[in-house]
Amino acid sequence: MKADERNDQLKFALDILNHPELLQEEYVREWLTHEENKSVYEVCRLYLEAGLRKEVGERLDVTTEYERFNRKFMHRPGRGIWRWTAAAAAIVIIMVSAWWLAMNSDTGLREVMPMANVSSEQVVPGKNEAVLVTESGKTVVLGRNNMSDVEIEAGIVVRDDSVKGVNYSLGKNMAVHYHTLKVPKGAEFKIVLHDGTEVWLNSESELRFPTVFTGNEREVELKGEGYFSVTHDDKLPFVVVAAGVRTKVYGTEFNVRSYDVNDVNVTLVKGRVGVQRDDATRDYALTPGENARFEGERPEITRVNVHKFTAWKEGYFYYENERVETIMNDLKRWYDFDVVYVGNRVKDLKFELWSSRDSNISVIIGLLMKTNKVHMKLEGRTLIVSEMNR
């Protein structure tokens, strides 16, 4: 193959990696049916992932990590394969020349990419931990034990499992009590409610819920972000109230993000939901793959890659052309650090990023710095973010 043809082939593969939505296009699928093209694409994807992680100092079996990611997303029924085939490499794609130099020299990326200036010993990934607050004000720290039963009130026992979260066990004819599960910064947690509904709570989130569902609805209140897998019940709809937005379902899976009361997102994965403002006279139906974004009374409903909103629940950060400030807000909740911005424009710079939530913070900082757009320095528990001097 001529050098120009090889270069075009490489550029095309990188373009696909940087824009995974192209994988739904017929001409791209046809291109990937040729073994040589597919080989270039796969080598490029794996090399970028392996090379970048190796350089920023995280020892990782990249193939194993990608296969784990692949199993979670690509082979699930009803989730289009095109969306995530390239996700493992959608981590701020490097210029073609950098890859070409790395493939043809012993020095690799080290000669063309800057190292991250970080000291991350004190900043670690989040853990499974939460605080359960009872109606009487009693607090119980959860997530530190493995398969232990804790009686929190008379007749109310929770099984605290550091892996599976918390399950309730109630005596017969129990009165209704309201509990609040609080997940701090640097943590996440899963709870199974009385009806079997599973709820995953992201960092800096709260869920207020009854120990037993009664009446005509199963209503809970959310602050922050939660992923819900609701037990089906035609006669008793499940309602999530978050920042003035009501999401009503009968049995489905969806994500609610409400950290900002002026920017609430409800993303439907399976089933059907209706969303509305508390004081609105009508609701708006969503179908799988749609997101409702509330800034005012009426939601903006669009079709989205749902994994952009749900990847956190599967253990990943994933961003498509997202602002630095949005990325940093999520990172500081998970790693529990503060952020200081230097300059007026740096918050609005946009990036694509994929990373495991188990990654050392230095890995993520290193990936973002490789764009030569931002400089980041971690001082203690404060990350200083500035625009790269040109």
Side-chain angles (χ1 to χ4, degrees), residues 63-331:
T63 301
T64 300
E65 176 68 13
Y66 178 71
E67 288 174 354
R68 181 167 76 94
F69 187 88
N70 191 36
R71 286 194 299 271
K72 283 180 177 289
F73 293 105
M74 286 173 59
H75 299 293
R76 291 189 173 184
R79 297 188 181 187
I81 190 172
W82 63 270
R83 290 176 177 168
W84 282 89
T85 302
I91 47 173
V92 288
I93 299 301
I94 310 303
M95 64 186 71
V96 173
S97 59
W99 187 87
W100 188 264
L101 285 171
M103 287 297 288
N104 291 279
S105 71
D106 294 331
T107 54
L109 287 172
R110 297 182 185 279
E111 291 190 359
V112 294
M113 295 297 162
M115 289 295 291
N117 181 15
V118 295
S119 175
S120 57
E121 292 82 0
Q122 299 177 349
V123 179
V124 296
K127 53 188 177 296
N128 288 311
E129 191 169 288
V131 176
L132 185 65
V133 183
T134 69
E135 229 170 24
S136 63
K138 180 181 178 180
T139 61
V140 180
V141 178
L142 302 172
R144 295 179 180 175
N145 302 307
N146 185 25
M147 296 296 289
S148 78
D149 292 335
V150 181
E151 185 172 14
I152 56 175
E153 289 182 323
I156 301 177
V157 176
V158 297
R159 169 152 289 193
D160 183 11
D161 188 327
S162 59
V163 175
K164 296 182 180 179
V166 62
N167 282 266
Y168 272 73
S169 177
L170 306 175
K172 294 182 179 180
N173 302 317
M174 287 292 302
V176 178
H177 297 272
Y178 281 86
H179 291 172
T180 301
L181 188 68
K182 297 184 177 183
V183 181
K185 286 184 178 180
E188 63 184 2
F189 208 74
K190 176 188 174 183
I191 183 172
V192 181
L193 302 179
H194 177 252
D195 67 335
T197 291
E198 298 176 297
V199 185
W200 290 259
L201 292 177
N202 206 346
S203 303
E204 208 173 8
S205 299
E206 296 183 13
L207 183 74
R208 184 177 182 270
F209 57 95
T211 53
V212 180
F213 289 110
T214 59
N216 299 320
E217 293 181 334
R218 295 172 286 167
E219 183 173 298
V220 300
E221 298 176 21
L222 172 71
K223 293 180 181 179
E225 184 167 24
Y227 184 97
F228 296 80
S229 180
V230 177
T231 299
H232 184 82
D233 189 335
D234 281 330
K235 298 179 180 179
L236 202 62
F238 193 94
V239 177
V240 179
V241 180
V245 173
R246 292 174 61 86
T247 302
K248 187 175 183 178
V249 304
Y250 293 89
T252 186
E253 292 188 25
F254 60 99
N255 193 79
V256 179
R257 183 179 177 90
S258 61
Y259 288 115
D260 184 347
V261 296
N262 296 314
D263 184 12
V264 179
N265 287 270
V266 179
T267 311
L268 182 60
V269 178
K270 294 180 181 178
R272 181 182 174 89
V273 303
V275 294
Q276 67 181 83
R277 284 289 186 190
D278 266 343
D279 55 355
T281 57
R282 60 157 293 186
D283 65 3
Y284 299 85
L286 299 184
T287 57
E290 289 186 332
N291 180 78
R293 180 171 183 260
F294 283 86
E295 284 186 304
E297 180 178 331
R298 295 170 59 91
E300 176 189 3
I301 298 176
T302 57
R303 294 206 63 81
V304 296
N305 176 356
V306 297
H307 304 298
K308 175 182 175 181
F309 296 90
T310 64
W312 69 269
K313 178 248 182 184
E314 303 292 351
Y316 294 91
F317 294 108
Y318 178 71
Y319 302 98
E320 298 174 340
N321 197 33
E322 197 62 74
R323 295 174 65 247
V324 164
E325 185 177 28
T326 299
I327 296 173
M328 290 299 111
N329 285 342
D330 287 343
L331 294 180

Side-chain angles (χ1 to χ4, degrees), residues 8-69:
D8 288 342
Q9 189 181 40
L10 181 59
K11 286 181 179 179
F12 192 72
L14 283 171
D15 195 39
I16 298 171
L17 287 169
N18 206 19
H19 302 282
E21 67 275 8
L22 289 175
L23 285 164
Q24 66 178 320
E25 300 292 341
E26 189 63 35
Y27 73 93
V28 174
R29 292 179 181 177
E30 195 281 330
W31 186 83
L32 286 170
T33 61
H34 298 278
E35 280 301 316
E36 188 171 3
N37 294 340
K38 185 177 180 180
S39 177
V40 171
Y41 172 83
E42 287 299 315
V43 170
C44 185
R45 177 187 60 74
L46 284 173
Y47 186 83
L48 281 171
E49 175 70 359
L52 290 173
R53 285 183 176 273
K54 181 178 179 182
E55 184 176 351
V56 294
E58 181 178 56
R59 295 182 180 180
L60 175 69
D61 183 339
V62 175
T63 301
T64 300
E65 176 68 13
Y66 178 71
E67 288 174 354
R68 181 167 76 94
F69 187 88

